[in-house]
Amino acid sequence: MSARALTQIKYVGADDPSHGETSCEECPIRYRAVCAHCESDELARLEGIKFYRSYEPGQAIVWGGDQMDFVGSVVSGVATLTQTLEDGRTQMVGLLLPSDFLGRPGRSTATYNAVATTKVVLCCFRRKPFGEMMNRLPSLSRRLLEMTLDELDAAREWMLLLGRKTAREKIASFIAIIARREASMHMRSPGGRTEIELPLTREAMADYLGLTLETVSRQVNALKRDGIIELHGKRGVVLPDFARLVEESGDDADGGWIS
Amino acid sequence: MSARALTQIKYVGADDPSHGETSCEECPIRYRAVCAHCESDELARLEGIKFYRSYEPGQAIVWGGDQMDFVGSVVSGVATLTQTLEDGRTQMVGLLLPSDFLGRPGRSTATYNAVATTKVVLCCFRRKPFGEMMNRLPSLSRRLLEMTLDELDAAREWMLLLGRKTAREKIASFIAIIARREASMHMRSPGGRTEIELPLTREAMADYLGLTLETVSRQVNALKRDGIIELHGKRGVVLPDFARLVEESGDDADGGWIS
DNA sequence: CGTGAGTTTGAGTCATGTCAAGGACCGTGG
DNA sequence: CCACGGTCCTTGACATGACTCAAACTCACG
């Protein structure tokens, strides 16, 4: 199924020296990534060991079970973490947007399949030196703990979605999540009219939501028929009334997404 | 539904001075809890600020949204973390067994409902002093990061279960998870014949698995009819052949649960 | 203007949910 | 000791939301 399509272009991402000169101070994810709390002297030490890699849409970053000798942050683009059963059933377990962290320091093999869904640039560190840095720079390990706790909260919200929401609520929730993350990227909150771009195909949305792609398609179009969303092309979505969408998502309130 | 039943005995757990003299060195979770990596001098400093609380079966530990001025480790017993939609649909998002950590340092309000399902003893720390300790003792924050990463992995495994497994596979997976955790408690691996005790009611299992309690009941009894499990009373389960159970769980292999 | 990936739509099936009734177990009080 | 009530569990009949299989449409790209 999708796993097959993905492995077609499975190879290691190219080292990308074109980013070699990019200064951390000017990095687009400077204040959100794992390095967010670092002072400029600490940042300089990280800068000394970083390197960039880039991946094309559909390209595998790592495959679950394979050796993984680096960790890194998504600088730009979107990647997914997925898990599969023997018979091909696939569940997405992570959606990596800019500033999100990939890999586990202290573990040498990947646990999940990581795949770029758009062009992705990763700011990487070799695992060992990064581990050293973690020990030397408390601001680094403190930030990683913070990010991991946030991810755990997100995973638990996701579990509620997977276990208890209807297909319609799942779709509405997903669109609301994307709208919130896009908004927080630009430091605004999703207000009245909002325009977003879905970062995933229908099939990838299905893997995110624990549905089939047909059900995703049907429910997206049902929300459109009901005036909750407008569609512009396959990926473009306009939300005439964000609050209306949240109502459809089944969540009680807008879960305090201010920051 | 279940939420109503739980709130019936919602009150703060009694401080439990009877455990006041228990030395950390002799603590049953000494080498598994958040304090696992602490040297004895570090442990002594933690010991100075710890206190115990105990909770009766069915009693709420905290309610989502409420103030929570402490964090702590489960010393004995079983507690659950749950999340609910307005209309009462409930999803369990955490199952806390001995040595598991409850609460988020640096957050003053609880995110989830935490409820004791058996008698529970918690080793607690006030939030502020614990935060101080986190800054002073790297072994503490390093261990918390490690535990949080493990929990995130468990949450992602759980997401695969919720999103993609059949009811039968969910039940088999749940029993296998419990068997593994019981085995690791006693430092053995779940081999041929294994006896376990389910720590949850059928309803709580349903909330764990994203099913109804009727479906749980039916599938548990189906596994019994098929000879995968034997039932002894409502909670007792005997596994004549652990590998056979794992086959039913849908996972490809026994996911390396050695440690 | 053909090709293929992504998407939509329809018809039929099935796994799981819903509603309802009854059984097993256990502690309590008459 | 037994009847009672409550909690938990089981079982049956039926409803339905989501899945499966199949076909056709859209659109970007060569």
Coordinates of all heavy atoms in Angstrom, one line a residue, chain C residues 1-25:
Chain C
dC1 P -5.5 16.9 -29.4 OP1 -4.8 16.9 -30.6 OP2 -6.8 17.5 -29.0 O5' -5.2 15.6 -28.5 C5' -4.1 14.8 -28.9 C4' -3.7 14.1 -27.6 O4' -3.0 14.9 -26.7 C3' -4.9 13.5 -26.8 O3' -4.5 12.3 -26.2 C2' -5.0 14.5 -25.7 C1' -3.5 14.8 -25.5 N1 -3.2 15.9 -24.6 C2 -1.9 16.0 -24.0 O2 -1.2 15.0 -24.2 N3 -1.6 17.0 -23.3 C4 -2.4 18.0 -23.1 N4 -2.0 19.0 -22.3 C5 -3.7 18.0 -23.7 C6 -4.0 17.0 -24.4
dG2 P -5.2 10.9 -26.6 OP1 -5.0 10.6 -28.0 OP2 -6.5 11.0 -26.0 O5' -4.3 9.9 -25.8 C5' -2.9 9.6 -26.2 C4' -2.0 9.5 -25.0 O4' -1.9 10.8 -24.4 C3' -2.5 8.5 -24.0 O3' -1.3 7.7 -23.6 C2' -3.0 9.3 -22.8 C1' -2.1 10.6 -23.0 N9 -2.7 11.8 -22.5 C8 -3.9 12.4 -22.8 N7 -4.1 13.5 -22.2 C5 -2.9 13.7 -21.4 C6 -2.6 14.8 -20.6 O6 -3.2 15.8 -20.4 N1 -1.3 14.6 -20.0 C2 -0.5 13.5 -20.2 N2 0.7 13.5 -19.6 N3 -0.8 12.5 -21.0 C4 -2.0 12.7 -21.6
dT3 P -1.5 6.3 -22.8 OP1 -0.7 5.3 -23.5 OP2 -3.0 6.1 -22.6 O5' -0.9 6.6 -21.4 C5' 0.4 7.3 -21.4 C4' 0.6 7.8 -19.9 O4' -0.1 9.1 -19.8 C3' 0.0 6.8 -18.9 O3' 1.1 6.4 -18.1 C2' -1.0 7.7 -18.1 C1' -0.6 9.1 -18.4 N1 -1.7 10.2 -18.4 C2 -1.4 11.3 -17.8 O2 -0.4 11.6 -17.2 N3 -2.4 12.3 -17.8 C4 -3.7 12.1 -18.5 O4 -4.5 13.0 -18.5 C5 -3.8 10.8 -19.2 C7 -5.1 10.6 -19.9 C6 -2.8 9.9 -19.1
dG4 P 0.8 5.2 -17.0 OP1 2.0 4.4 -17.0 OP2 -0.5 4.7 -17.2 O5' 0.8 6.0 -15.6 C5' 1.8 7.0 -15.4 C4' 1.4 7.8 -14.1 O4' 0.4 8.7 -14.5 C3' 0.8 6.9 -13.0 O3' 1.3 7.4 -11.8 C2' -0.7 7.1 -13.2 C1' -0.7 8.5 -13.6 N9 -1.9 8.9 -14.3 C8 -2.7 8.1 -15.1 N7 -3.7 8.8 -15.6 C5 -3.6 10.1 -15.1 C6 -4.5 11.2 -15.3 O6 -5.5 11.3 -16.0 N1 -4.0 12.3 -14.6 C2 -2.8 12.3 -13.8 N2 -2.5 13.4 -13.2 N3 -2.1 11.2 -13.6 C4 -2.5 10.2 -14.3
dA5 P 1.2 6.4 -10.5 OP1 2.5 5.7 -10.3 OP2 0.0 5.7 -10.5 O5' 1.1 7.5 -9.3 C5' 1.8 8.8 -9.4 C4' 0.9 9.8 -8.8 O4' -0.2 10.1 -9.7 C3' 0.3 9.4 -7.5 O3' 0.5 10.5 -6.6 C2' -1.1 9.2 -7.8 C1' -1.4 10.1 -9.0 N9 -2.4 9.7 -9.9 C8 -2.6 8.4 -10.4 N7 -3.6 8.3 -11.2 C5 -4.2 9.6 -11.2 C6 -5.3 10.1 -11.9 N6 -6.1 9.4 -12.7 N1 -5.5 11.5 -11.7 C2 -4.7 12.2 -10.9 N3 -3.7 11.7 -10.2 C4 -3.4 10.4 -10.4
dG6 P 0.1 10.4 -5.0 OP1 1.0 11.2 -4.2 OP2 -0.2 8.9 -4.7 O5' -1.3 11.1 -5.0 C5' -1.4 12.5 -5.4 C4' -2.9 12.8 -5.5 O4' -3.4 12.1 -6.6 C3' -3.7 12.5 -4.3 O3' -4.3 13.7 -3.8 C2' -4.7 11.5 -4.8 C1' -4.8 11.8 -6.3 N9 -5.2 10.7 -7.1 C8 -4.7 9.4 -7.1 N7 -5.4 8.7 -8.0 C5 -6.4 9.5 -8.5 C6 -7.3 9.2 -9.5 O6 -7.6 8.2 -10.1 N1 -8.1 10.3 -9.8 C2 -8.0 11.6 -9.2 N2 -8.8 12.5 -9.5 N3 -7.0 11.8 -8.3 C4 -6.3 10.8 -8.0
dT7 P -5.3 13.7 -2.5 OP1 -5.2 15.1 -2.0 OP2 -5.0 12.5 -1.7 O5' -6.8 13.6 -3.2 C5' -7.2 14.5 -4.2 C4' -8.5 14.0 -4.7 O4' -8.3 12.8 -5.4 C3' -9.6 13.7 -3.7 O3' -10.5 14.8 -3.7 C2' -10.2 12.4 -4.1 C1' -9.6 12.2 -5.5 N1 -9.4 10.7 -5.9 C2 -10.2 10.2 -6.9 O2 -11.1 10.9 -7.4 N3 -10.0 8.9 -7.2 C4 -9.0 8.1 -6.6 O4 -8.9 6.9 -7.0 C5 -8.2 8.7 -5.6 C7 -7.1 7.9 -4.9 C6 -8.4 10.0 -5.3
dT8 P -11.8 14.9 -2.8 OP1 -12.2 16.3 -2.7 OP2 -11.5 14.1 -1.6 O5' -12.9 14.2 -3.6 C5' -13.3 14.7 -4.9 C4' -14.2 13.7 -5.6 O4' -13.6 12.5 -5.8 C3' -15.5 13.4 -4.8 O3' -16.6 13.9 -5.5 C2' -15.5 11.9 -4.6 C1' -14.6 11.5 -5.7 N1 -13.8 10.2 -5.5 C2 -14.0 9.1 -6.3 O2 -14.8 9.1 -7.2 N3 -13.3 8.0 -6.1 C4 -12.3 7.9 -5.1 O4 -11.7 6.8 -4.9 C5 -12.2 9.0 -4.2 C7 -11.2 9.0 -3.1 C6 -12.9 10.1 -4.4
dT9 P -18.0 14.0 -4.9 OP1 -18.7 15.1 -5.6 OP2 -17.9 14.1 -3.4 O5' -18.7 12.6 -5.2 C5' -18.8 12.2 -6.6 C4' -19.3 10.8 -6.6 O4' -18.2 9.9 -6.3 C3' -20.4 10.4 -5.6 O3' -21.5 10.1 -6.4 C2' -19.9 9.2 -4.9 C1' -18.7 8.7 -5.7 N1 -17.6 8.0 -5.1 C2 -17.2 6.8 -5.6 O2 -17.7 6.3 -6.5 N3 -16.1 6.3 -4.9 C4 -15.5 6.8 -3.8 O4 -14.6 6.2 -3.2 C5 -16.0 8.0 -3.3 C7 -15.4 8.7 -2.1 C6 -17.0 8.6 -3.9
dG10 P -22.9 9.7 -5.8 OP1 -24.0 10.3 -6.7 OP2 -22.9 10.1 -4.3 O5' -23.0 8.1 -5.9 C5' -22.7 7.6 -7.2 C4' -22.8 6.1 -7.1 O4' -21.5 5.6 -6.5 C3' -23.9 5.5 -6.1 O3' -24.6 4.5 -6.8 C2' -23.1 5.0 -4.9 C1' -21.7 4.6 -5.5 N9 -20.6 4.6 -4.6 C8 -20.2 5.7 -3.8 N7 -19.1 5.4 -3.1 C5 -18.8 4.1 -3.5 C6 -17.7 3.3 -3.1 O6 -16.8 3.6 -2.3 N1 -17.7 2.1 -3.8 C2 -18.7 1.7 -4.7 N2 -18.5 0.4 -5.2 N3 -19.7 2.4 -5.1 C4 -19.7 3.6 -4.4
dA11 P -25.9 3.9 -6.1 OP1 -26.9 3.9 -7.2 OP2 -26.2 4.5 -4.8 O5' -25.5 2.4 -5.8 C5' -24.5 1.7 -6.6 C4' -24.3 0.4 -6.0 O4' -23.1 0.4 -5.2 C3' -25.4 -0.2 -5.2 O3' -25.5 -1.6 -5.3 C2' -25.0 0.3 -3.8 C1' -23.5 0.1 -3.9 N9 -22.7 1.0 -3.0 C8 -23.0 2.2 -2.5 N7 -22.1 2.8 -1.8 C5 -21.1 1.8 -1.7 C6 -19.9 1.7 -1.0 N6 -19.4 2.7 -0.3 N1 -19.1 0.6 -1.2 C2 -19.6 -0.4 -1.9 N3 -20.7 -0.5 -2.6 C4 -21.5 0.7 -2.4
dG12 P -26.5 -2.5 -4.5 OP1 -27.0 -3.5 -5.5 OP2 -27.4 -1.6 -3.8 O5' -25.6 -3.2 -3.5 C5' -24.5 -4.0 -3.9 C4' -23.7 -4.5 -2.8 O4' -23.1 -3.4 -2.1 C3' -24.5 -5.2 -1.7 O3' -23.9 -6.4 -1.3 C2' -24.5 -4.2 -0.5 C1' -23.2 -3.5 -0.7 N9 -23.1 -2.1 -0.1 C8 -24.0 -1.1 -0.2 N7 -23.6 0.0 0.4 C5 -22.4 -0.4 0.9 C6 -21.5 0.4 1.7 O6 -21.6 1.5 2.1 N1 -20.3 -0.4 2.0 C2 -20.1 -1.6 1.6 N2 -18.9 -2.2 2.0 N3 -20.9 -2.3 0.9 C4 -22.0 -1.7 0.6
dT13 P -24.4 -7.4 -0.2 OP1 -24.4 -8.8 -0.7 OP2 -25.7 -6.8 0.4 O5' -23.3 -7.2 0.9 C5' -21.9 -7.2 0.4 C4' -21.0 -7.1 1.6 O4' -21.0 -5.7 2.1 C3' -21.4 -7.9 2.8 O3' -20.2 -8.6 3.3 C2' -21.9 -6.9 3.9 C1' -21.2 -5.7 3.5 N1 -21.8 -4.4 3.8 C2 -21.1 -3.4 4.5 O2 -20.0 -3.5 4.9 N3 -21.8 -2.2 4.6 C4 -23.1 -1.9 4.2 O4 -23.6 -0.8 4.4 C5 -23.8 -3.0 3.5 C7 -25.2 -2.8 3.0 C6 -23.1 -4.1 3.3
dC14 P -20.2 -9.7 4.4 OP1 -19.3 -10.8 4.1 OP2 -21.7 -10.0 4.8 O5' -19.6 -8.9 5.7 C5' -18.5 -8.1 5.5 C4' -18.2 -7.4 6.8 O4' -19.0 -6.2 6.8 C3' -18.5 -8.2 8.0 O3' -17.5 -7.9 8.9 C2' -19.8 -7.6 8.5 C1' -19.7 -6.2 8.1 N1 -21.0 -5.4 7.9 C2 -21.0 -4.0 8.2 O2 -19.9 -3.5 8.6 N3 -22.1 -3.3 8.0 C4 -23.2 -4.0 7.6 N4 -24.3 -3.2 7.4 C5 -23.2 -5.4 7.3 C6 -22.1 -6.0 7.4
dA15 P -17.0 -8.9 10.0 OP1 -15.9 -9.8 9.5 OP2 -18.2 -9.5 10.6 O5' -16.3 -7.9 11.1 C5' -15.5 -6.9 10.6 C4' -15.7 -5.7 11.5 O4' -17.0 -5.1 11.3 C3' -15.5 -6.0 13.0 O3' -14.8 -5.0 13.6 C2' -17.0 -6.0 13.5 C1' -17.7 -5.1 12.5 N9 -19.1 -5.4 12.2 C8 -19.6 -6.6 12.0 N7 -20.9 -6.6 11.7 C5 -21.2 -5.3 11.7 C6 -22.4 -4.6 11.5 N6 -23.6 -5.2 11.1 N1 -22.4 -3.3 11.6 C2 -21.3 -2.6 12.0 N3 -20.1 -3.2 12.2 C4 -20.1 -4.5 12.1
dT16 P -14.3 -5.1 15.1 OP1 -12.9 -4.5 15.1 OP2 -14.5 -6.4 15.6 O5' -15.3 -4.1 15.8 C5' -15.4 -2.7 15.4 C4' -16.7 -2.1 15.9 O4' -17.8 -2.8 15.3 C3' -16.9 -2.3 17.4 O3' -16.8 -0.9 18.0 C2' -18.2 -3.0 17.6 C1' -18.9 -2.7 16.2 N1 -19.9 -3.6 15.8 C2 -21.2 -3.2 15.4 O2 -21.4 -2.0 15.4 N3 -22.1 -4.1 15.0 C4 -21.9 -5.5 15.0 O4 -22.8 -6.2 14.7 C5 -20.6 -5.9 15.4 C7 -20.2 -7.4 15.5 C6 -19.7 -5.0 15.8
dG17 P -17.3 -0.6 19.4 OP1 -16.4 0.6 19.8 OP2 -17.4 -1.8 20.3 O5' -18.8 0.0 19.2 C5' -18.9 1.1 18.4 C4' -20.4 1.5 18.3 O4' -21.2 0.5 17.8 C3' -21.0 1.8 19.7 O3' -21.8 3.0 19.6 C2' -21.8 0.6 20.1 C1' -22.2 0.1 18.7 N9 -22.3 -1.4 18.6 C8 -21.3 -2.3 18.9 N7 -21.7 -3.5 18.7 C5 -23.1 -3.4 18.3 C6 -24.0 -4.4 18.0 O6 -23.9 -5.6 18.0 N1 -25.3 -3.8 17.7 C2 -25.5 -2.5 17.6 N2 -26.8 -2.1 17.3 N3 -24.6 -1.6 17.9 C4 -23.4 -2.1 18.3
dT18 P -22.6 3.6 20.9 OP1 -22.7 5.0 20.7 OP2 -21.9 3.0 22.1 O5' -24.0 2.9 20.9 C5' -24.9 3.1 19.8 C4' -26.2 2.5 20.0 O4' -26.1 1.1 19.9 C3' -26.8 2.8 21.4 O3' -28.1 3.3 21.3 C2' -26.7 1.4 22.1 C1' -26.8 0.4 20.9 N1 -26.2 -0.9 21.1 C2 -26.9 -2.0 20.8 O2 -28.1 -2.0 20.4 N3 -26.2 -3.2 21.0 C4 -24.9 -3.4 21.4 O4 -24.4 -4.5 21.4 C5 -24.2 -2.1 21.7 C7 -22.8 -2.2 22.1 C6 -24.9 -1.0 21.5
dC19 P -28.9 3.9 22.5 OP1 -29.8 4.9 22.0 OP2 -28.0 4.1 23.6 O5' -29.9 2.6 22.9 C5' -30.7 2.0 21.9 C4' -31.3 0.8 22.5 O4' -30.3 -0.3 22.5 C3' -31.8 0.9 23.9 O3' -33.2 0.4 23.9 C2' -30.9 0.0 24.7 C1' -30.5 -1.0 23.7 N1 -29.2 -1.8 23.9 C2 -29.1 -3.1 23.6 O2 -30.1 -3.7 23.2 N3 -28.0 -3.8 23.9 C4 -26.9 -3.1 24.3 N4 -25.8 -3.8 24.5 C5 -27.0 -1.7 24.6 C6 -28.1 -1.1 24.4
dA20 P -34.1 0.5 25.2 OP1 -35.4 0.8 24.8 OP2 -33.4 1.3 26.2 O5' -34.1 -1.0 25.8 C5' -34.3 -2.1 24.8 C4' -34.1 -3.4 25.5 O4' -32.7 -3.7 25.4 C3' -34.5 -3.4 27.0 O3' -35.3 -4.5 27.2 C2' -33.2 -3.6 27.7 C1' -32.3 -4.3 26.7 N9 -30.9 -4.2 26.9 C8 -30.2 -3.1 27.1 N7 -28.9 -3.3 27.3 C5 -28.7 -4.6 27.1 C6 -27.6 -5.5 27.1 N6 -26.4 -5.1 27.3 N1 -27.8 -6.8 26.8 C2 -29.1 -7.2 26.6 N3 -30.2 -6.5 26.6 C4 -30.0 -5.2 26.8
dA21 P -36.2 -4.7 28.6 OP1 -37.6 -4.8 28.2 OP2 -35.7 -3.7 29.5 O5' -35.6 -6.1 29.1 C5' -35.5 -7.2 28.2 C4' -34.6 -8.2 28.7 O4' -33.2 -7.7 28.7 C3' -34.8 -8.5 30.2 O3' -35.2 -9.9 30.3 C2' -33.5 -8.2 30.9 C1' -32.5 -8.2 29.8 N9 -31.4 -7.3 30.0 C8 -31.4 -6.0 30.3 N7 -30.2 -5.4 30.4 C5 -29.3 -6.5 30.2 C6 -27.9 -6.6 30.2 N6 -27.1 -5.6 30.4 N1 -27.4 -7.8 29.9 C2 -28.2 -8.9 29.7 N3 -29.6 -8.9 29.7 C4 -30.0 -7.7 29.9
dG22 P -35.6 -10.5 31.7 OP1 -36.6 -11.6 31.4 OP2 -35.9 -9.5 32.7 O5' -34.3 -11.3 32.1 C5' -33.6 -12.1 31.2 C4' -32.2 -12.4 31.7 O4' -31.4 -11.2 31.7 C3' -32.2 -12.9 33.2 O3' -31.4 -14.1 33.3 C2' -31.6 -11.7 33.9 C1' -30.7 -11.2 32.9 N9 -30.2 -9.9 33.1 C8 -30.9 -8.7 33.4 N7 -30.1 -7.6 33.5 C5 -28.9 -8.1 33.4 C6 -27.6 -7.4 33.4 O6 -27.4 -6.2 33.7 N1 -26.6 -8.3 33.2 C2 -26.7 -9.6 33.0 N2 -25.5 -10.3 32.8 N3 -27.8 -10.3 32.9 C4 -28.9 -9.5 33.1
dG23 P -31.5 -15.0 34.6 OP1 -32.0 -16.3 34.1 OP2 -32.1 -14.2 35.7 O5' -29.9 -15.2 34.8 C5' -29.0 -15.4 33.7 C4' -27.6 -15.3 34.2 O4' -27.2 -13.9 34.3 C3' -27.4 -15.9 35.6 O3' -26.1 -16.6 35.6 C2' -27.4 -14.7 36.5 C1' -26.8 -13.6 35.6 N9 -27.3 -12.3 35.9 C8 -28.6 -11.8 36.0 N7 -28.7 -10.6 36.3 C5 -27.4 -10.1 36.4 C6 -26.9 -8.8 36.6 O6 -27.5 -7.8 36.8 N1 -25.5 -8.8 36.6 C2 -24.7 -9.9 36.4 N2 -23.4 -9.7 36.5 N3 -25.2 -11.2 36.2 C4 -26.5 -11.2 36.2
dA24 P -25.7 -17.5 36.8 OP1 -25.1 -18.7 36.3 OP2 -26.8 -17.5 37.9 O5' -24.5 -16.6 37.4 C5' -23.4 -16.3 36.6 C4' -22.4 -15.5 37.4 O4' -22.9 -14.2 37.6 C3' -22.1 -16.1 38.8 O3' -20.7 -16.1 39.0 C2' -22.8 -15.2 39.7 C1' -22.8 -13.9 39.0 N9 -24.0 -13.0 39.2 C8 -25.3 -13.3 39.2 N7 -26.1 -12.3 39.4 C5 -25.2 -11.2 39.6 C6 -25.5 -9.8 39.8 N6 -26.7 -9.3 39.9 N1 -24.4 -9.0 40.0 C2 -23.2 -9.6 39.9 N3 -22.8 -10.9 39.6 C4 -23.9 -11.6 39.5
dC25 P -20.0 -16.9 40.3 OP1 -18.8 -17.4 39.8 OP2 -21.1 -17.7 40.9 O5' -19.7 -15.6 41.2 C5' -19.0 -14.5 40.7 C4' -19.1 -13.4 41.7 O4' -20.5 -12.8 41.6 C3' -18.9 -13.7 43.1 O3' -17.8 -13.0 43.6 C2' -20.2 -13.3 43.8 C1' -20.8 -12.3 42.8 N1 -22.3 -12.1 42.9 C2 -22.7 -10.7 43.0 O2 -22.0 -9.8 43.2 N3 -24.1 -10.5 43.1 C4 -24.9 -11.6 42.9 N4 -26.2 -11.3 42.9 C5 -24.5 -12.9 42.8 C6 -23.1 -13.1 42.7

